[in-house]
Amino acid sequence: LEKDGFTRLDYTVEAMQSTSSAAVVVDGFITDGVEQVNFHVSESVDETEAGATLEVGYVLAMEDRPLSVSFTSTLNIGETLTASLSASFVNGTNALTLNMSQDETGAVDGTVTWNGGVVMTVTGTGESEPVFLGPEGEALTAAEAQAIAEMFELVEEGLFFLLANLAFLGAGLT
């Protein structure tokens, strides 16, 4: 899409299908001529002997700035249900990553890392509330809980900035 003599929105869509799978991938960018947000979105479904696997993923990233968010979720459906989720947020030199999984019994297992080091683990079973612990399995101190909350606030600020730019750039398309 062009406006005022330059491309404001550009993307490609690729769709693939076979007898047992289908996928759609969208890659592109949106810009106001100064700021640019690049995006990648993918969705796929694969039929398996046990049922089906659904996968959704996306990446949003500011061009020429160390600010991005990525997310991948996988759901396996069959006689049992399993799921996994991976999300990462990069703001400058800081990176927060969340990896979670749920097995067929409903047990949850996950880690939160900050700049590559594990800062928190998450576990749970069935319908019980998840348990948040330190990297060595110890209870989080008030200071650690506060530090983790501050990490999420930093990520939230970066994500808000990224989405605000995306919305602002999109508003310029009309």
Side-chain angles (χ1 to χ4, degrees):
L1 177 67
E2 289 192 24
K3 184 176 178 186
D4 301 327
F6 68 93
T7 302
R8 301 236 182 192
L9 172 66
D10 191 23
Y11 61 92
T12 59
V13 177
E14 183 179 3
M16 298 141 291
Q17 181 179 358
S18 73
T19 57
S20 62
S21 67
V24 175
V25 177
V26 180
D27 284 303
F29 69 87
I30 187 169
T31 183
D32 65 355
V34 177
E35 300 286 352
Q36 178 172 313
V37 176
N38 299 318
F39 57 87
H40 171 87
V41 179
S42 63
E43 294 189 18
S44 67
V45 61
D46 292 298
E47 184 179 5
T48 64
E49 298 254 342
T53 299
L54 304 167
E55 186 169 294
V56 176
Y58 69 81
V59 176
L60 296 173
M62 292 291 295
E63 182 78 13
D64 298 327
R65 289 188 192 214
L67 182 61
S68 65
V69 59
S70 63
F71 172 85
T72 303
S73 177
T74 304
L75 183 63
N76 296 301
I77 304 169
E79 288 185 31
T80 61
L81 181 69
T82 62
S84 65
L85 175 133
S86 177
S88 66
F89 307 91
V90 176
N91 188 350
T93 59
N94 296 307
L96 180 71
T97 303
L98 170 66
N99 289 299
M100 299 286 295
S101 64
Q102 181 177 6
D103 68 16
E104 62 279 350
T105 68
V108 174
D109 184 38
T111 59
V112 176
T113 62
W114 178 252
N115 295 331
V118 175
V119 294
M120 184 172 62
T121 62
V122 183
T123 58
T125 56
E127 296 179 17
S128 67
E129 291 290 321
V131 177
F132 301 91
L133 299 171
E136 303 299 322
E138 72 282 6
L140 295 173
T141 65
E144 289 170 328
Q146 178 63 34
I148 290 170
E150 289 173 7
M151 284 184 257
F152 277 100
E153 285 176 19
L154 178 65
V155 167
E156 182 181 25
E157 289 173 14
L159 182 58
F160 177 77
F161 178 78
L162 183 65
L163 294 176
N165 270 282
L166 186 61
F168 175 76
L169 297 176
L173 295 177
T174 58

